[in-house]
Amino acid sequence: MTNRKTIGILGGMGPMATVEFFRRLIAATPAENDQEHLHILIDNDPGVPNRTDALLHGGPCPVPTLQAMARRLVAAGARVLAMPCNTGHAYLDDIRAAVDVPVVDMIAETARATPAARIGLLATDGTIESGLYHRAFGGRGVDVVVPEPDDQRAVIAAIAAIKAGEPLSPLEERLTAVVERLVAAGAEASIAACTELSLLSGERMPVRWIDALDVLVRSTLRAARVRIGEREENA
Amino acid sequence: MTNRKTIGILGGMGPMATVEFFRRLIAATPAENDQEHLHILIDNDPGVPNRTDALLHGGPCPVPTLQAMARRLVAAGARVLAMPCNTGHAYLDDIRAAVDVPVVDMIAETARATPAARIGLLATDGTIESGLYHRAFGGRGVDVVVPEPDDQRAVIAAIAAIKAGEPLSPLEERLTAVVERLVAAGAEASIAACTELSLLSGERMPVRWIDALDVLVRSTLRAARVRIGEREENA
């Protein structure tokens, strides 16, 4: 217990995805009372500039804000950091450069956790264009297929709708059709590679639904030295 | 937007109640994208000693831990603090003494938000015995009825079960029976006055269910200068 590390969460990208990451961390921690839980610090900062805008459209660079959050979390006691935002991982090296504690790599961990020869990628334009998952999967000999332009627009619209708090069920239906077309293109699994999409259940997907946020939960708990057992399966 | 205050949450009492408070704050904030959301800092510290043990059984005093959390949150930028733990409010004056920013009083706000001549109180032994709600409601001429000893043991067992992550539905059923007996004793409303009980829906309760955590959400958003409108109703 005393060897467990305090977790720091770079949050707000988006806020409801941060809530969901926090919820899954708590649900996956074996604990019978408050005192057996983890010390978790969250900085839910809405001031982080939009990552896709910065990567693709010359928008303000999020690096200074991300580095400041990371430093604040470490100053407050965090000994391992995690960021529940896939696109934000384009700046992982910058964040790592700002602090002396480990920062979990959700993208690499997700690629490692995915047993497939070809995967379908549901992500922001920023995540796709920056090649984050293409590099991580490519290094493992796994093909990546992305939605056709019309379908990609539907993915982006769904992400925006989730950020705006719209009901999930109709969005899930629309994305199921997108995944069907990725499967037709040979995908053996589909990756929920935007933490807003992690709010969907994935239950009705026609192929294995690998949620990068779930992978981040497991990797973060391991990095914090929590032994995760059967409780994790019910999370 | 720029006038909004950064919220600091003294969390971990219990962790899942902290998650739920965070979730409701986000859901109640009118926002179309990440950048329109609030800056929220959370210190989910499981090291806070059990409040009821300290109040009633000579357990370790939580004041130093609570004061340290409050100071850490303010040092990180929080300009208004909230604590989603009813029993912890026995130490509200100590927390207020440690920092120069406002700390929302969930108990006083809940008493103010409850239109009834007699209320039933579902709370920990520490909350009941320390007289937190009795004083807040008494000052407004409202009677407080508490469960008979057997029923109070059922309340405490339900709180412990929720902290241990057990399924909510059977617990809700048991507590509905407890509330029925409070209604028979004249209660016109029942107060979910432990943030674990806030995880229950309250839907099947035989009388108005006033959730102190919902009151805390509204009070905290007001203190942070968020204008809350129709989105709050759907939260």
Side-chain angles (χ1 to χ4, degrees), chain A residues 12-16 18-19 22-24 26-27 31-51 72 75-77 160 163-166 196 231, chain B residues 12-16 18-19 22-24 26-27 31-51 72 75-77 160 163-166 196 231:
Chain A
M13 304 169 275
M16 209 46 110
T18 306
V19 170
F22 183 26
R23 189 190 72 75
R24 292 187 197 177
I26 301 295
E32 289 298 317
N33 54 47
D34 294 355
Q35 288 72 28
E36 290 175 14
H37 273 282
L38 285 166
H39 192 182
I40 300 175
L41 302 169
I42 302 175
D43 194 332
N44 186 77
D45 189 348
V48 182
N50 185 288
R51 285 66 62 195
R72 266 201 308 268
K163 283 185 190 280
E166 291 183 20
E196 266 66 42
R231 280 292 293 282
Chain B
M13 305 170 273
M16 210 44 112
T18 306
V19 171
F22 184 25
R23 190 189 70 75
R24 292 187 197 177
I26 301 296
E32 288 299 317
N33 54 46
D34 295 357
Q35 288 71 27
E36 290 177 13
H37 273 283
L38 285 166
H39 193 183
I40 300 175
L41 302 168
I42 302 176
D43 194 332
N44 187 76
D45 188 349
V48 182
N50 184 288
R51 286 66 63 195
R72 266 200 309 268
K163 282 183 191 282
E166 292 183 20
E196 266 66 40
R231 282 293 293 282

Side-chain angles (χ1 to χ4, degrees), chain B residues 4 10 30 34 40 68 72 90 101 105 113 118-119 121 142 146 149 173 181 193 208 212-213 225 232:
Chain B
R4 289 173 167 191
L10 294 99
D34 295 357
I40 300 175
R72 266 200 309 268
V101 308
D105 182 344
R118 173 173 280 202
I119 60 100
L121 190 65
V142 177
V146 298
E173 204 160 316
R181 288 186 279 277
R208 192 166 169 195
L213 192 65
R225 300 190 190 135
E232 184 191 19

Side-chain angles (χ1 to χ4, degrees), chain B residues 121-125 128 146-163 166 168 170-179 181-182 194 196-197 200 205 209:
Chain B
L121 190 65
L122 297 180
T124 64
D125 291 343
I128 292 176
V146 298
E148 296 293 327
D150 274 359
D151 278 350
Q152 178 61 19
R153 274 188 287 275
V155 172
I156 299 308
I159 292 169
I162 294 170
K163 282 183 191 282
E166 292 183 20
L168 299 177
L171 302 171
E172 183 135 17
E173 204 160 316
R174 233 168 295 156
L175 291 187
T176 303
V178 171
V179 170
R181 288 186 279 277
L182 292 173
C194 169
E196 266 66 40
L197 301 179
L200 303 175
M205 292 295 165
W209 176 255

Side-chain angles (χ1 to χ4, degrees), chain A:
Chain A
M1 290 285 293
T2 44
N3 282 332
R4 290 174 168 189
K5 292 184 179 180
T6 296
I7 296 170
I9 301 177
L10 293 99
M13 304 169 275
M16 209 46 110
T18 306
V19 170
E20 184 60 13
F21 181 51
F22 183 26
R23 189 190 72 75
R24 292 187 197 177
L25 281 176
I26 301 295
T29 303
E32 289 298 317
N33 54 47
D34 294 355
Q35 288 72 28
E36 290 175 14
H37 273 282
L38 285 166
H39 192 182
I40 300 175
L41 302 169
I42 302 175
D43 194 332
N44 186 77
D45 189 348
V48 182
N50 185 288
R51 285 66 62 195
T52 291
D53 280 353
L55 289 166
L56 304 184
H57 312 301
C61 177
V63 168
T65 314
L66 290 170
Q67 289 185 327
M69 286 173 82
R71 289 198 195 98
R72 266 201 308 268
L73 288 164
V74 173
R79 290 301 167 260
V80 56
L81 299 184
M83 174 170 53
C85 173
N86 288 267
T87 318
H89 278 67
Y91 305 102
L92 185 63
D93 289 345
D94 302 292
I95 297 168
R96 285 179 165 167
V99 291
D100 287 330
V101 308
V103 186
V104 181
D105 182 344
M106 172 164 51
I107 315 292
E109 297 285 346
T110 300
R112 197 173 304 154
T114 304
R118 173 173 282 203
I119 60 101
L121 190 64
L122 298 180
T124 64
D125 291 342
T127 296
I128 292 175
E129 299 296 327
S130 62
L132 283 170
Y133 276 97
H134 287 79
R135 279 194 301 277
F137 276 109
R140 311 179 71 84
V142 176
D143 279 348
V144 174
V145 280
V146 300
E148 296 293 328
D150 273 359
D151 277 351
Q152 178 61 19
R153 274 188 286 275
V155 172
I156 299 308
I159 292 169
I162 294 169
K163 283 185 190 280
E166 291 183 20
L168 300 177
S169 182
L171 301 172
E172 184 136 16
E173 204 160 316
R174 234 166 296 157
L175 291 187
T176 304
V178 172
V179 171
E180 271 164 12
R181 287 185 278 275
L182 293 173
V183 171
E188 298 166 0
S190 75
I191 315 283
C194 169
T195 50
E196 266 66 42
L197 301 178
S198 298
L199 294 165
L200 304 175
S201 73
E203 273 169 10
R204 288 178 298 176
M205 291 296 165
V207 74
R208 192 166 168 198
W209 176 254
I210 293 181
D211 183 348
L213 192 65
D214 275 337
V215 176
L216 185 64
V217 168
R218 289 194 296 273
S219 306
T220 303
L221 290 177
R222 268 197 306 271
R225 301 192 187 131
V226 174
R227 211 189 312 183
I228 43 181
E230 55 186 28
R231 280 292 293 282
E232 186 191 16
E233 303 307 315
N234 303 320

